[in-house]
Amino acid sequence: MSDSVILGLLPKYNYRFTIVELTETAKEAIFLHSLGSEMSVFLSKTMMGALFLAEMTKNQQRVSIQWKDETKKSALAYSDRYGRMKAVGYADTHEDGDIRNEFILGQGIMKVIRWELDGEFYQSYTNLIEDTFEFNFQKYLTESEQVRAIVGMEVNPFLFPGNDFFAKGLFLEALPDATEDDFVSLTKLIQPLAIVQNQKFLIS
């Protein structure tokens, strides 16, 4: 199996889409840094987020996402439009049974940097809130990029040896002519598919 990135347009709805299969790339980073279940999910989603942002660029920019919350969880991932990536993650844990061990980020900062080789860099950030990575990524897109988007990420974490790990994602970005009706119609189209495919889409 190899990873893949599929780009396209939905002209009927005035949206462009990026679909990624990042399983093997994420595995390399997870094994390299000996990450457990929780951070294998967070780092994989951070990597997908960096790739989604890189695909939004119209030039040779590289994009990095870095975040750290008050529980001392942190991740850094960068990507270019061609999926050349690096990533690292660090974890801290709560007491057994705390839901934040599974998928919740604490308060902190998410920072995004864009740069070109031998060029200037642009930096923006959003304050993390105690919610999922997808929610905070969506928050960044709305606040810093002023982009209307639909984001879906699904990572089956490393729970035990032999677990069928995977990391997949979908990103839909509104084009300038997209309307609220386009967003509503596309949301209605995606939600049933999300349930069938067991994907977790954040629609906002």
Side-chain angles (χ1 to χ4, degrees):
M1 180 180 65
S2 61
D3 291 344
S4 60
V5 180
I6 301 173
L7 308 175
L9 296 174
L10 298 173
K12 180 179 179 181
Y13 301 100
N14 295 302
Y15 273 74
R16 69 187 295 269
F17 67 83
T18 305
I19 300 172
V20 301
E21 163 73 56
L22 206 64
T23 300
E24 297 304 317
T25 304
K27 273 184 181 179
E28 291 293 328
I30 291 164
F31 287 150
L32 178 64
H33 300 293
S34 302
L35 300 180
S37 171
E38 175 196 18
M39 284 307 299
S40 71
V41 173
F42 277 126
L43 187 63
S44 298
K45 291 183 177 182
T46 305
M47 294 171 72
M48 284 190 276
L51 180 56
F52 288 151
L53 292 180
E55 292 296 346
M56 289 172 59
T57 65
K58 297 180 180 179
N59 48 36
Q60 300 303 310
Q61 284 185 341
R62 296 182 180 184
V63 178
S64 71
I65 294 179
Q66 182 177 14
W67 58 261
K68 183 176 183 179
D69 71 9
E70 90 279 7
T71 70
K72 299 181 181 179
K73 293 194 302 287
S74 65
L76 168 64
Y78 81 77
S79 177
D80 62 14
R81 297 182 65 188
Y82 307 104
R84 292 181 289 230
M85 312 184 79
K86 289 186 178 180
V88 61
Y90 302 96
D92 196 9
T93 58
H94 303 279
E95 294 181 2
D96 289 344
D98 192 317
I99 193 172
R100 289 174 294 180
N101 283 328
E102 300 301 324
F103 63 91
I104 298 294
L105 284 172
Q107 296 180 15
I109 295 291
M110 176 182 289
K111 179 169 60 177
V112 174
I113 300 176
R114 301 173 182 273
W115 75 97
E116 297 185 41
L117 294 178
D118 302 321
E120 295 183 354
F121 68 89
Y122 169 75
Q123 178 175 295
S124 56
Y125 71 92
T126 187
N127 292 314
L128 296 173
I129 62 174
E130 193 171 277
D131 210 308
T132 63
F133 175 87
E134 293 94 321
F135 186 93
N136 282 284
F137 184 66
Q138 183 80 59
K139 183 173 178 286
Y140 166 80
L141 290 169
T142 301
E143 293 178 353
S144 297
E145 300 287 343
Q146 288 81 52
V147 169
R148 190 73 181 271
I150 299 172
V151 180
M153 298 177 179
E154 179 71 2
V155 180
N156 191 34
F158 290 113
L159 297 177
F160 49 84
N163 190 49
D164 188 17
F165 172 81
F166 61 80
K168 304 176 182 179
L170 169 67
F171 179 65
L172 296 114
E173 175 194 358
L175 298 174
D177 292 335
T179 66
E180 183 64 23
D181 287 342
D182 291 328
F183 176 78
V184 172
S185 297
L186 188 55
T187 300
K188 289 180 179 178
L189 175 67
I190 289 175
Q191 287 291 21
L193 298 175
I195 295 172
V196 170
Q197 298 298 325
N198 195 31
Q199 296 286 326
K200 298 175 182 176
F201 288 97
L202 175 71
I203 308 298
S204 61

